[in-house]
Amino acid sequence: MEDTNSALTILVGVDFGAPHFDAELEELGLLAQTAGMQPVARITCKRKAPDAALFVGTGKADEIKLLAQQMGATEILFDQALSPAQQRNLERRLEMPVNDRVFLILQIFAQRARSHEGKLQVELAKLQYLSTRLVRRWSHLERQSGGIGMRGGPGEKQIELDKRIISDSIKRTKERLEKVKKQRSTQRRQRDKRQAFNISLVGYTNAGKSTLFNALVKARAYTADQLFATLDTTTRQLYLGEAGRSVSLSDTVGFIRDLPHGLVDAFRATLQEAVDADLLIHVVDAANPGFPEQIAEVQRVLKDIGADSVQQLLVFNKLDTLENEQQPLQLEDMYEIEGLDVPRLFVSAKTGVGLPALRQYLAKTVQAVLGVDANQAFDPRFDSAYSAANPAKNGDNAP
């Protein structure tokens, strides 16, 4: 991708009949802005199947080119994953850079990663992605190298040399990540020896995980109203007075629709915190009308990393942003996920409403799992601040 700080971009979405199709391309637009692009127009179309050569067909490709010329756009961004051949053919026809959702997410991760582990994971994912697109990324690849004093065998094409270089880089990066993974495993074993109870925050990106994390442990993890504000796992101790002990609380990277498989694999070491957790706090943006699809996407990724069997607690966050008619009648109930009833709590990490009840629930769970005797029994009633401001009404919970 070229300089994304000033790239005027056309957003393209193709509806193949999938239930999660974003007709307005809102999420793609947010991702593009997060990466530093400037979306200037959006275009969608319907197809039964992708065109093998151009993904959208020749007619729509020409329409995209005309729109780009009219808007002064310098880049085209697709909401779906493109094959290397489709990407190459589109660039030739449109005569400008074309990128897809996968590369966009990789670009954002590369910009945001701060820890050594996070940078390694992004590097590995980008190397794996680019290894299939060498032929379109560099114009020098058809030149041949070799001969006396030259690296590579006689007549070896530059593309073959570059593929070997990337293959070697992937191997080295995997080895370095494996060392980091072993270090994390050692740290987890040390926590297990202390009979630690491990809780991980998971959820769709921008659901408010880091805000909730800060509110619970009084930390200063970076938060922002944007996609992928947090990429690196942060772990702190959370003291639960009701249980008379501390637990380990981890804030993990947010999930998103069509998360590149390369990133799932590359971030497996970071997401291992979720796999090894005793409890997952699945944070949901209660104000987002698409929260059912977001919950389903998080469940899919959890299954991919082997964390789908870990006990879950649903926390519907951003209660303060709901309209009066959307407010739940009670702050604790059950929510069905894939045929199973999962406990659900409503909170506002920003205002603190519902947090006392959340801490009580965590204390009760710790007591049940570790057999800790506590002087105070779990009180299922919710904090009086919310009850006073929101008297009980008849009917089911709104969200």
Side-chain angles (χ1 to χ4, degrees):
M1 188 177 295
E2 304 298 328
D3 182 11
T4 58
N5 290 326
S6 58
L8 301 181
T9 308
I10 301 291
L11 308 182
V12 182
V14 184
D15 183 4
F16 296 110
H20 61 252
F21 178 69
D22 182 6
E24 302 298 326
L25 298 178
E26 291 184 5
E27 188 172 86
L28 184 66
L30 289 174
L31 285 170
Q33 291 172 6
T34 300
M37 300 177 181
Q38 184 180 343
V40 292
R42 308 177 184 198
I43 186 170
T44 61
C45 65
K46 289 187 177 181
R47 290 187 63 91
K48 292 183 178 179
D51 179 76
L54 294 170
F55 195 77
V56 292
T58 55
K60 183 58 69 171
D62 291 340
E63 183 181 338
I64 294 171
K65 182 177 180 179
L66 179 61
L67 179 62
Q69 291 172 344
Q70 293 173 342
M71 302 301 297
T74 58
E75 187 165 341
I76 309 299
L77 180 61
F78 277 76
D79 196 25
Q80 289 91 357
L82 301 173
S83 72
Q86 290 167 338
Q87 202 166 12
R88 181 171 63 251
N89 293 336
L90 281 167
E91 288 193 336
R92 288 173 177 170
R93 192 172 190 93
L94 302 181
E95 298 179 331
M96 65 181 64
V98 175
N99 284 300
D100 60 9
R101 182 185 180 92
V102 176
F103 188 76
L104 177 63
I105 295 176
L106 289 173
Q107 191 78 352
I108 294 171
F109 274 53
Q111 293 171 359
R112 298 294 178 83
R114 293 293 179 266
S115 70
H116 174 62
E117 179 183 11
K119 292 177 180 178
L120 283 177
Q121 291 162 335
V122 172
E123 179 184 349
L124 175 60
K126 289 192 72 173
L127 285 170
Q128 291 171 331
Y129 177 86
L130 291 175
S131 65
T132 63
R133 287 164 165 77
L134 283 171
V135 71
R136 106 182 161 83
R137 285 296 171 184
W138 293 283
S139 60
H140 67 274
L141 295 181
E142 290 305 317
R143 295 202 303 266
Q144 290 189 338
S145 61
I148 299 175
M150 299 291 290
R151 184 176 178 179
E156 183 182 38
K157 289 186 177 182
Q158 183 67 41
I159 188 171
E160 295 167 349
L161 176 60
D162 284 359
K163 281 185 176 180
R164 273 200 296 112
I165 292 174
I166 282 197
S167 178
D168 291 342
S169 297
I170 289 175
K171 182 180 179 181
R172 288 194 303 270
T173 305
K174 283 184 175 179
E175 290 173 350
R176 293 162 70 186
L177 269 174
E178 190 61 31
K179 291 181 180 179
V180 174
K181 187 176 180 180
K182 289 180 179 179
Q183 292 173 352
R184 279 192 173 273
S185 179
T186 300
Q187 293 170 354
R188 283 191 293 273
R189 284 198 301 269
Q190 291 174 347
R191 291 202 301 262
D192 291 341
K193 288 180 180 179
R194 299 193 299 267
Q195 200 185 18
F197 189 90
N198 303 316
I199 302 173
S200 283
L201 296 171
V202 298
Y204 207 80
T205 182
N206 205 30
K209 295 186 309 300
S210 296
T211 303
L212 180 61
F213 179 80
N214 289 341
L216 288 173
V217 300
K218 295 179 174 58
R220 294 183 178 179
Y222 177 72
T223 62
D225 185 17
Q226 58 185 211
L227 303 184
F228 297 119
T230 302
L231 292 184
D232 299 311
T233 297
T234 304
T235 302
R236 296 287 186 274
Q237 291 298 303
L238 168 63
Y239 181 73
L240 298 173
E242 298 87 344
R245 63 170 295 135
S246 294
V247 297
S248 176
L249 182 67
S250 298
D251 182 20
T252 62
V253 62
F255 302 157
I256 196 168
R257 174 175 62 82
D258 298 329
L259 183 71
H261 288 292
L263 272 183
V264 174
D265 293 337
F267 272 74
R268 198 169 294 274
T270 294
L271 296 175
Q272 192 67 30
E273 294 290 343
V275 178
D276 295 334
D278 298 294
L279 175 68
L280 296 179
I281 297 180
H282 183 164
V283 184
V284 180
D285 181 356
N288 191 313
F291 74 79
E293 291 78 16
Q294 294 183 349
I295 290 176
E297 186 61 32
V298 171
Q299 293 300 124
R300 186 190 66 78
V301 177
L302 289 176
K303 188 173 295 184
D304 285 346
I305 65 174
D308 53 317
S309 61
V310 180
Q311 180 182 351
Q312 280 192 47
L313 166 66
L314 275 173
V315 172
F316 273 49
N317 189 28
K318 303 188 181 181
L319 189 63
D320 56 295
T321 64
L322 295 178
E323 300 295 335
N324 290 335
E325 62 272 14
Q326 296 177 308
Q327 290 290 335
L329 305 175
Q330 54 186 17
L331 297 185
E332 179 184 23
D333 63 5
M334 305 297 287
Y335 185 91
E336 184 177 318
I337 298 180
E338 299 180 352
L340 297 176
D341 287 336
V342 179
R344 172 171 68 168
L345 300 178
F346 286 87
V347 308
S348 169
K350 184 177 180 180
T351 65
V353 170
L355 294 187
L358 173 57
R359 296 177 69 94
Q360 289 178 347
Y361 182 94
L362 297 179
K364 178 185 177 182
T365 304
V366 171
Q367 293 167 16
V369 173
L370 300 181
V372 178
D373 293 328
N375 295 326
Q376 294 179 325
F378 173 67
D379 184 355
R381 293 174 301 174
F382 294 94
D383 50 305
S384 56
Y386 181 87
S387 300
N390 298 271
K393 309 168 189 174
N394 295 323
D396 296 328
N397 281 7

